[in-house]
C-alpha cells in the first residue's frame, strides 16, 4: 500500500470501513474528490484498484501491530 503523509486527521475508532463496518485503518482520497475508508483486510483486497483511482492513501495499518506505550514490560 502506498502511504502518503498528509495533514489529514488520524483515523479513530469512530471511522468505519465502507465495505464491512469494521474499524478503518485506511483513508483513500479519490481523484473525484470523495474519500473511502477501509479496514486493513479490505484495503489489502482492493489495493490494486484503489491505486488506480486514488490521489492519496492514508495508511495507518501499522497501528495494528504497535505496542501501546502504556504496556508494562511483561506485555511487550
Amino acid at each position: 500500500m502506498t502511504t502518503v503523509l498528509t495533514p489529514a486527521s488520524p483515523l479513530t475508532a469512530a471511522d468505519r470501513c465502507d465495505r464491512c463496518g469494521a474499524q478503518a485503518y485506511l483513508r483513500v482520497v479519490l481523484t473525484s474528490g470523495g474519500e473511502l475508508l477501509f479496514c486493513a483486510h479490505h484495503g489489502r483486497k482492493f489495493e490494486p484498484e484503489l491505486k488506480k483511482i486514488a490521489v492519496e492513501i492514508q495508511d495507518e495499518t501499522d497501528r495494528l501491530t504497535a505496542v501501546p506505550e502504556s504496556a508494562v514490560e511483561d506485555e511487550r
Side-chain angles (χ1 to χ4, degrees):
M1 188 67 52
T2 303
T3 303
V4 176
L5 300 176
T6 64
S9 59
L11 295 167
T12 69
D15 294 309
R16 310 312 286 180
C17 176
D18 290 326
R19 182 73 174 131
C20 69
Q23 184 172 345
Y25 288 93
L26 287 101
R27 175 181 284 127
V28 180
V29 179
L30 305 172
T31 55
S32 64
E35 76 175 22
L36 297 171
L37 300 175
F38 291 102
C39 64
H41 165 78
H42 285 111
R44 283 189 300 272
K45 181 177 180 179
F46 299 124
E47 178 181 7
E49 296 304 314
L50 291 173
K51 285 183 173 181
K52 295 177 186 176
I53 61 171
V55 172
E56 59 186 82
I57 298 174
Q58 178 182 348
D59 183 355
E60 297 184 9
T61 55
D62 59 328
R63 292 177 28 213
L64 291 168
T65 57
V67 177
E69 291 182 25
S70 62
V72 294
E73 197 62 37
D74 293 357
E75 296 175 342
R76 293 178 186 249

